[in-house]
Amino acid sequence: MIESIKSHLMHLCTLPGISGYEDAVRNYIREYAAPFADEIQEDSTGNLLLLRRGTGNGTGNAKRVMLCAHMDETGFLITHIGADGMLKFVPVGNFSHRIVPGLFVRVGDAQVPGSIGLKPIHLTPKKERDLSVPMDALRIDLGARSRGEAEKYTFPGDFAAFDSKIRDYGEDGLTAKALDSRIGCLVLLDQIKKQQYCDVWYVFSVQRQIGSNIASVIHRLAPDFALVFDAIEDGGLPGSTQPPPCLAGKGVVLPLINGNSCAPSPYLAAIQQIASNCHLPLQCIAQADGGDTERICAAAQGVAALSLRTAVRYLRCPHSSVQLSDVRDLLRLTNALFAHEVF
Amino acid sequence: MNLEHLLKTLCAIPAVSGFEPGTADAMQQLFSNYCDEFISTSAGSQIGLRRCGKPDAQLLLIDGHLDQIGGYVTHIENGFIYFTGTFDRRVLDGKTLVVYGAQPIYGITGTRESDENKLGKFRDFFIDTGLAPQTVETLVHPGDPITYAPDFCVLSGGYVCAPAIDDRAAIAAGLYALSLLQDEKVGIDIALCASAGEEVGGAGARTAAYALRPDYAVAIDVTFSAQPGLDEDDMLCDDIGVTITRGPHMNRALTQQLFTLAEREKIPHGIEVEPGFTGTNTSSIRAAGDGIACALLGLPIRSMHTCVESIRLSNIEAAGRLLAALIRALGGTA
């Protein structure tokens, strides 16, 4: 069981899914989840919505709960092909430009390998050697040495995904790209296999990195409650400027406030009680970024929503890291919440 | 010979300057198909010898350096590994490194420098292995070497990309030359030296040349090609083939012979000019013992001293073919 969670997460992370180009992730999820779904919808921007009807506990009036995870990851878009065959690019989503020189990438649907080099330090003026390199000074190299040659492989508007080898990390963790979104996808794919007491909409959303349109999903589904699975930056690295709000390996993170939206207190109390009863570690923190949770709270007529987070290091970077104990705790807690009919 | 596979194998052998002796087994295995004898020197240079069987045969030394840029653990704090070294800090943030402690341990780099426009000093960079602090303390100690993770990527157009192309590509060129001569008898002994310590002064090449006393030597090292950010008119493109360097440190007759052979064999090549110290092992070898006639071949690469050094495999082939031509010319038929 443990091994299969790990290998499934690894597979999800290999799929490319830059914001707006989530096709590979969506196709995989759709195929995987379709046998469990009573209804499947896909909206015009690519949000994937799957319904699994509940037993209703015989009332015939089942609640509509929405579980939400985003599919997209950070990466690049190709903006220009130079006469020398080198590709100019811009970032999609938020990450430090310091990590960009020296990356391997995969360009476009065909996943053409490329690398992002840097002019040698020997030929760099002394005063530049201590400064990070701005992204517009860098290019993606496919091995093409003319525009015509490069155009055989790509065109402006194609995406470039991080090409990161997935590796073990510590005793029981892994490093990969896209952990930010795929842990949530993993939880939803695990849950959809089970029929719950309530109707559950499994929402795999797009474009979280650049401002999603989850509001239109709320408009469409009008759920009674939404639970969002997302990641949050671990605060335990050297140089962290504030005291660590949460730490990888210490259990599920439950923010009391997402952006400007307070989580509904009855649910908070229930989750804390159940985690405690099940001996699952829970890190309650005052505030996290808003993300889709905040957007859901403010969408349509307003929907009660909260988020369960996994503490990840180097969030949105090519080599993010996660402790798998946190993922297992998240799966257990989610199971327990449904078992206790919290929603 | 599958050059791509050979280069990938070579690039995955960890040899930060000072830790070359640990490569002896791996290098002996790679050399064994093409060499009769193997010598591992105290400096850490790994030498394969191919004898022609002729008494008093002359000896040609082919040198490519074995060591790569890398790091050394300085201390451990709360389980995070701090280090110094020859890495280019502009590339270091967010990369996967391997720390060779009691066992190889992978980790991710971060920096304490909070200003995104700056990098921080080496002391600000740390490696995060995800292991418990006490486990790190047990497995890792100050002085342990560090390399980039040996990830190897094949691009289009015959280019490949990896850390340690500098200077494993040269060793690959030497082995490629010997593979071309595998079924030929040539009347000269050949020493292929994967030399230690080039990045820190060239002691491995100097001492190997002193011990071997070759009649001729050819050093091969990577050289700068044109690439984005460098638009100087005098830079060669990285699809030029092999370069032959002219200048005071290179033996003129041997250099001229290489040009003649390259022209005759139609081997793609370019000319480089070095007016003094070459920054390669040539400058160490030429002054060893009584002095040795040494030439310098260059392999144009991009992004030198990063984890994505890139080279066109045909450049290595060109160097190998030129070396094979030189060996035939110097040795005649046995």
Side-chain angles (χ1 to χ4, degrees):
Chain A
M1 183 64 181
I2 287 168
E3 200 53 40
S4 81
I5 287 168
K6 182 176 172 183
S7 56
H8 197 193
L9 182 57
M10 286 168 71
H11 179 70
L12 282 164
C13 289
T14 58
L15 303 170
I18 308 307
S19 308
Y21 299 74
E22 297 91 349
D23 308 63
V25 185
R26 183 170 45 245
N27 292 344
Y28 170 79
I29 288 174
R30 193 180 172 123
E31 192 172 322
Y32 185 96
F36 308 108
D38 295 307
E39 193 182 327
I40 301 176
Q41 299 183 21
E42 203 177 302
D43 71 12
S44 55
T45 45
N47 293 305
L48 177 65
L49 325 170
L50 301 108
L51 170 67
R52 177 144 194 188
R53 291 194 196 286
T55 57
N57 285 348
T59 60
N61 188 19
K63 255 187 148 181
R64 291 156 78 87
V65 171
M66 173 173 138
L67 300 190
C68 185
H70 67 99
M71 295 185 282
D72 60 318
E73 68 195 65
T74 51
F76 309 104
L77 280 187
I78 309 300
T79 55
H80 177 77
I81 304 176
D84 57 357
M86 304 297 283
L87 317 182
K88 273 188 92 164
F89 58 90
V90 289
V92 177
N94 244 333
F95 53 92
S96 167
H97 65 271
R98 275 198 303 219
I99 59 144
V100 178
L103 288 185
F104 292 112
V105 295
R106 295 265 174 173
V107 177
D109 290 325
Q111 294 286 281
V112 180
S115 68
I116 301 176
L118 181 63
K119 72 174 174 182
I121 192 158
H122 320 63
L123 305 178
T124 302
K126 275 227 154 55
K127 61 180 192 316
E128 279 180 41
R129 295 182 186 182
D130 288 328
L131 299 175
S132 59
V133 185
M135 238 185 274
D136 58 11
L138 299 168
R139 297 288 183 274
I140 292 172
D141 182 4
L142 299 179
R145 291 294 174 264
S146 70
R147 182 176 290 135
E149 219 180 303
E151 282 175 346
K152 285 193 260 175
Y153 302 103
T154 187
F155 220 69
D158 281 351
F159 69 87
F162 302 138
D163 182 15
S164 322
K165 195 164 177 183
I166 299 177
R167 292 192 167 89
D168 288 342
Y169 167 78
E171 300 282 356
D172 181 31
L174 56 87
T175 64
K177 72 168 176 67
L179 282 170
D180 171 34
S181 59
R182 306 304 150 75
I183 295 168
C185 293
L186 177 83
V187 176
L188 264 61
L189 290 179
D190 180 61
Q191 281 302 316
I192 199 170
K193 293 178 195 166
K194 301 157 205 159
Q195 189 183 26
Q196 307 297 354
Y197 62 95
C198 50
D199 289 354
V200 181
W201 277 97
Y202 294 88
V203 172
F204 297 89
S205 66
V206 295
Q207 304 189 18
R208 151 84 161 87
Q209 312 292 350
I210 56 168
S212 75
N213 65 340
I214 194 78
S216 65
V217 175
I218 299 300
H219 172 77
R220 182 185 287 246
L221 302 181
D224 298 306
F225 178 79
L227 181 60
V228 178
F229 295 89
D230 207 343
I232 187 169
E233 182 76 52
D234 159 287
L237 289 175
S240 268
T241 42
Q242 58 222 39
C246 56
L247 293 170
K250 301 289 183 193
V252 176
V253 180
L254 175 62
L256 308 183
I257 304 172
N258 293 279
N260 288 315
S261 300
C262 293
S265 51
Y267 290 109
L268 283 178
I271 292 172
Q272 286 169 313
Q273 187 60 52
I274 287 167
S276 157
N277 290 351
C278 298
H279 306 289
L280 292 169
L282 191 65
Q283 308 183 70
C284 290
I285 62 167
Q287 192 169 16
D289 59 287
D292 279 344
T293 319
E294 184 182 23
R295 294 182 192 118
I296 290 168
C297 289
Q301 75 277 24
V303 172
L306 55 77
S307 68
L308 292 178
R309 311 272 185 135
T310 310
V312 165
R313 284 181 175 172
Y314 323 102
L315 199 61
R316 296 187 274 275
C317 287
H319 303 286
S320 312
S321 71
V322 67
Q323 297 289 356
L324 290 171
S325 61
D326 290 339
V327 179
R328 288 192 288 270
D329 286 345
L330 181 60
L331 290 167
R332 285 192 196 111
L333 180 62
T334 311
N335 279 332
L337 296 180
F338 277 104
H340 289 82
E341 304 192 3
V342 167
F343 310 113
Chain B
M1 166 180 277
N2 182 333
L3 203 48
E4 182 186 310
H5 183 258
L6 172 67
L7 186 59
K8 187 176 178 177
T9 307
L10 278 164
C11 288
I13 297 169
V16 184
S17 310
F19 288 84
E20 300 90 341
T23 68
D25 290 346
M27 294 306 294
Q28 181 165 19
Q29 199 183 342
L30 279 174
F31 284 179
S32 63
N33 290 335
Y34 306 104
C35 299
D36 313 305
E37 295 170 34
F38 181 80
I39 304 165
S40 193
T41 74
S42 61
S45 295
Q46 313 296 333
I47 305 165
L49 278 161
R50 177 183 140 138
R51 300 284 189 196
C52 67
K54 212 167 74 175
D56 305 323
Q58 289 194 310
L59 176 65
L60 168 69
L61 169 66
I62 299 169
D63 175 272
H65 72 84
L66 179 58
D67 59 325
Q68 68 196 100
I69 60 137
Y72 308 91
V73 175
T74 54
H75 63 289
I76 297 159
E77 210 175 284
N78 301 323
F80 296 102
I81 299 168
Y82 291 82
F83 59 101
T84 184
T86 46
F87 290 116
D88 182 345
R89 283 171 294 127
R90 298 174 304 161
V91 183
L92 259 184
D93 194 15
K95 300 301 181 301
T96 306
L97 302 190
V98 191
V99 182
Y100 296 89
Q103 64 197 54
I105 301 164
Y106 287 78
I108 310 296
T109 46
T111 171
R112 292 187 295 199
E113 175 59 62
S114 55
D115 182 347
E116 288 281 318
N117 296 314
K118 296 181 181 159
L119 301 163
K121 307 281 183 204
F122 257 114
R123 64 171 179 271
D124 294 313
F125 282 88
F126 57 85
I127 302 170
D128 165 26
T129 64
L131 291 166
Q134 58 271 29
T135 312
V136 178
E137 302 265 0
T138 312
L139 295 174
V140 178
H141 296 94
D144 287 349
I146 304 164
T147 67
Y148 283 117
D151 293 336
F152 190 92
C153 178
V154 180
L155 304 178
S156 67
Y159 289 90
V160 297
C161 199
I165 296 276
D166 172 7
D167 191 27
R168 307 295 160 77
I171 300 169
L175 282 167
Y176 184 69
L178 293 183
S179 79
L180 294 176
L181 297 166
Q182 204 162 19
D183 302 319
E184 287 178 43
K185 285 189 183 300
V186 279
I188 187 168
D189 290 348
I190 303 153
L192 178 56
C193 178
S195 54
E198 191 275 340
E199 302 289 359
V200 293
R206 189 161 54 242
T207 52
Y210 185 95
L212 293 165
R213 302 293 170 98
D215 299 278
Y216 314 93
V218 178
I220 313 166
D221 209 336
V222 295
T223 185
F224 306 111
S225 74
Q227 75 175 91
L230 301 173
D231 48 7
E232 287 108 299
D233 294 338
D234 58 348
M235 299 210 70
L236 298 166
C237 191
D238 61 353
D239 57 6
I240 191 85
V242 61
T243 69
I244 305 167
T245 310
R246 302 186 72 192
H249 277 206
M250 280 61 69
N251 179 272
R252 287 182 69 179
L254 192 59
T255 301
Q256 188 51 52
Q257 191 171 12
L258 286 166
F259 276 112
T260 306
L261 289 166
E263 295 288 345
R264 198 185 74 195
E265 304 287 327
K266 298 189 170 53
I267 296 166
H269 64 284
I271 305 177
E272 284 200 278
V273 179
E274 281 292 351
F277 180 70
T278 59
T280 72
N281 278 336
T282 313
S283 301
S284 306
I285 294 168
R286 68 188 276 272
D290 302 333
I292 294 162
C294 189
L296 173 59
L297 298 182
L299 296 167
I301 70 166
R302 290 187 176 191
S303 307
M304 198 187 293
H305 286 198
T306 73
C307 49
V308 291
E309 294 180 331
S310 81
I311 191 168
R312 195 173 204 190
L313 289 173
S314 57
N315 292 349
I316 301 175
E317 276 171 21
R321 284 174 58 207
L322 184 53
L323 287 169
L326 179 69
I327 291 164
R328 291 188 192 106
L330 293 174
T333 316

